[in-house]
Amino acid sequence: MDFQVVVLAGGTCKKLLPLVSKDVPKALLPVANRPVLSYVLEQLELSNLKDLIVVVEGEDAALHVGGWISNAYVDRLHVEVAAVPEDVGTAGALRAIAHHLTANDILVVSGDLVSDIPPGALAAVHRQHDAVVTTMLCSAPVSGPTESGSSGGKDKIKKPRRYNIIGLDPSKQFLLHIATGAEVEKEIRIQKSILRAVDQMEIRADLMDAHMYAFKRSVLQEVLDEKDKFRSIKEDMLPYLVRSQMKSEVLLNGAPQAKNGNEKVSFQNNQAVVSQILANASTLSFHDLYASSNNGTALVRRIHKCCAYIASESRYCQRLNSIQAFSDINRDVIGDVSHLSGYSFSAHNNIIHPSAQIGSRTAVGPHCMLWEGSQMGDKCSVKRSVIGRHCRIGSNVKVVNSVIMNHVTIGDGCSIQGSVICSNAQLQERAVLKDCQVGAGFVVTAGSEHKGESLARK
């Protein structure tokens, strides 16, 4: 397909503390006992997009991510891992590695995306319309548990919220307006040139920018060079390209001169041009110069395409960008979207590794995972939870809607609900946790009770 792929894998995102650390960057956080980055890489491989640059914030994080990729994807993908400074933003990360970009089209995808939407579909739409940018949009997720009980996380979301305000043309192929971040709560302001050109616009507040974009490389590099203050693809670069997709110029003796954006133009002529464009979306005419004679002066409308690929509502699309999302995605991947896990589930709709050991009268319910080498004592109960490798769990332990990472020790009589327990942590007997996060190596003392707390070593 001649696409070059950039995977923005992040670093040690502060919003994910204490789950992330210098040893476990965001890209390696486990989803159903697999690094979250593996879900993006395998979708790219399935779409035959194998020439990748994985961009990681911080030298130490890049070494960890690079080491894992070398072991997991040897002879499968051609991957270059590039370290960039921390907190440069997504646009800053692209700017830092722009000199490595050589293909005509660049696919940029967030490394925290867990989805069954094929990236090749976005790439195909981008090529079909010869767009300067194509963005993937999907239904906004609803966070929270699917049954009674908590799903964990101090940043719990009770109901859907607006992620973006998006304007689409009647064919739902072209992106005409986008408001993100703080702009979502403000009045909607639409470019006059857009309104003149398209007499109908569909406004949507139920779609999420999935952080997967296809760019024409020449335009991408031009924006990165000229707009050196841009930090975010979503909040800076994409709105800029959408706003500037219809510009007017006057040609005087062959030399272009800028016209005021509020200049009155012939609506009928412009409507005819846009109708022709929309009817012939697969041609290059959208980038041609259109002119209408006016007393010897040609009004030229220079247009570039900003396209949208809207995924089917039946598809799954979530980003692991918060503690709540971490819990939600783990629950989903061992539940309703278990096809993403890559594992075969038992007749009881769970996964218990052959090397795991379970005591008498211990129940591991549906939508659960008990992984390699882990041991559970007698009379335990596990519901809708993921338990990692080589954990030692005593008797009479209850685990509900939780994620327990690797090498965790849990004493007798503990109760864990809606919580995340990081690797090498220890819960002493009769500890009670509800909606908590326990950092790596932390010891929760015997008989203590915690609710909605983040527990980590200082």
Side-chain angles (χ1 to χ4, degrees):
M1 233 180 203
D2 192 30
F3 265 85
Q4 199 171 5
V5 181
V6 177
V7 180
L8 300 177
T12 53
C13 175
K14 293 177 181 178
K15 290 193 299 182
L16 289 166
L17 290 172
L19 277 58
V20 295
S21 66
K22 63 178 182 180
D23 297 320
V24 184
K26 177 182 180 180
L28 300 184
L29 281 176
V31 171
N33 290 319
R34 286 172 45 192
V36 64
L37 182 59
S38 69
Y39 290 84
V40 164
L41 297 186
E42 296 203 0
Q43 286 294 325
L44 291 168
E45 185 180 22
L46 288 172
S47 290
N48 201 33
L49 295 165
K50 299 182 180 182
D51 182 15
L52 317 178
I53 301 174
V54 175
V55 184
V56 185
E57 295 182 13
E59 294 284 350
D60 290 342
L63 287 174
H64 285 292
V65 173
W68 170 76
I69 290 175
S70 296
N71 290 329
Y73 290 92
V74 63
D75 298 329
R76 291 172 57 186
L77 300 173
H78 178 260
V79 182
E80 177 182 354
V81 177
V84 299
E86 297 181 19
D87 300 322
V88 294
T90 51
L94 276 181
R95 192 176 289 112
I97 56 95
H99 59 287
H100 292 293
L101 304 179
T102 56
N104 291 331
D105 294 294
I106 309 298
L107 185 70
V108 181
V109 57
S110 179
D112 62 8
L113 184 66
V114 178
S115 173
D116 56 4
I117 304 168
L122 176 77
V125 167
H126 182 74
R127 283 280 175 85
Q128 174 190 353
H129 294 295
D130 191 34
V132 300
V133 63
T134 304
T135 183
M136 180 185 289
L137 304 174
C138 59
S139 298
V142 178
S143 297
T146 57
E147 60 180 30
S148 60
S150 300
S151 64
K154 58 189 175 183
D155 52 349
K156 190 186 303 181
I157 299 172
K158 300 290 187 181
K159 58 184 180 180
R161 61 186 176 90
R162 290 191 299 178
Y163 286 80
N164 310 283
I165 301 295
I166 290 172
L168 300 167
D169 78 298
S171 72
K172 297 182 178 63
Q173 297 179 87
F174 300 108
L175 190 59
L176 305 178
H177 175 79
I178 184 165
T180 64
E183 297 297 318
V184 169
E185 304 302 327
K186 297 180 181 179
E187 291 182 349
I188 298 176
R189 296 177 178 271
I190 309 294
Q191 292 288 106
K192 287 184 179 180
S193 56
I194 301 285
L195 293 176
R196 291 191 188 106
V198 183
D199 60 350
Q200 291 183 4
M201 182 186 299
E202 180 177 335
I203 300 295
R204 300 280 296 270
D206 61 336
L207 295 173
M208 179 184 77
D209 180 341
H211 280 231
M212 184 183 294
Y213 314 95
F215 288 98
K216 189 182 289 291
R217 179 179 57 84
S218 58
V219 175
L220 174 63
Q221 292 191 319
E222 181 180 338
V223 173
L224 291 173
D225 290 342
E226 293 183 1
K227 304 294 180 180
D228 57 355
K229 301 297 184 184
F230 282 2
R231 284 180 47 84
S232 169
I233 297 174
K234 175 183 175 181
E235 297 185 10
D236 297 321
M237 292 180 62
L238 184 60
Y240 169 76
L241 287 170
V242 171
R243 287 195 306 270
S244 62
Q245 63 186 307
M246 291 185 179
K247 291 182 177 180
S248 296
E249 293 179 344
V250 172
L251 295 183
L252 296 174
N253 299 322
Q257 298 187 13
K259 290 287 289 181
N260 188 305
N262 295 322
E263 188 81 11
K264 289 185 178 181
V265 297
S266 167
F267 178 82
Q268 185 174 1
N269 287 340
N270 283 301
Q271 186 62 34
V273 167
V274 173
S275 295
Q276 179 184 348
I277 292 166
L278 296 178
N280 300 281
S282 61
T283 72
L284 294 176
S285 61
F286 203 100
H287 294 282
D288 292 340
L289 297 178
Y290 294 90
S292 58
S293 298
N294 185 10
N295 297 328
T297 299
L299 177 63
V300 179
R301 185 164 297 283
R302 189 186 302 274
I303 300 174
H304 64 245
K305 293 180 185 177
C306 298
C307 292
Y309 174 77
I310 303 177
S312 166
E313 291 184 5
S314 64
R315 293 288 190 172
Y316 183 80
C317 184
Q318 274 256 42
R319 290 186 59 220
L320 199 164
N321 56 4
S322 69
I323 292 173
Q324 180 66 48
F326 175 83
S327 297
D328 290 342
I329 293 170
N330 268 280
R331 185 190 64 242
D332 292 343
V333 172
I334 59 170
D336 295 338
V337 291
S338 58
H339 63 280
L340 279 173
S341 70
Y343 304 122
S344 297
F345 282 66
S346 72
H348 301 289
N349 207 15
N350 60 19
I351 301 176
I352 300 175
H353 195 275
S355 65
Q357 299 178 22
I358 300 176
S360 65
R361 299 174 65 184
T362 285
V364 179
H367 309 306
C368 288
M369 176 178 285
L370 179 63
W371 211 229
E372 177 185 356
S374 288
Q375 299 177 6
M376 300 193 71
D378 300 336
K379 299 180 182 179
C380 294
S381 173
V382 183
K383 298 179 180 179
R384 298 186 68 86
S385 296
V386 177
I387 298 174
R389 295 173 173 83
H390 303 292
C391 294
R392 298 293 179 264
I393 300 173
S395 300
N396 295 298
V397 173
K398 294 182 179 179
V399 182
V400 181
N401 281 324
S402 295
V403 179
I404 297 172
M405 298 188 194
N406 302 327
H407 300 280
V408 172
T409 301
I410 300 174
D412 294 345
C414 289
S415 176
I416 304 164
Q417 183 176 357
S419 297
V420 180
I421 316 298
C422 294
S423 295
N424 299 302
Q426 180 181 351
L427 275 65
Q428 296 178 347
E429 61 272 12
R430 301 183 313 282
V432 177
L433 299 179
K434 183 176 182 181
D435 298 341
C436 291
Q437 303 86 46
V438 179
F442 188 84
V443 177
V444 181
T445 57
S448 60
E449 297 187 10
H450 302 272
K451 182 177 180 181
E453 297 182 47
S454 179
L455 308 172
R457 294 187 296 187
K458 296 181 180 179

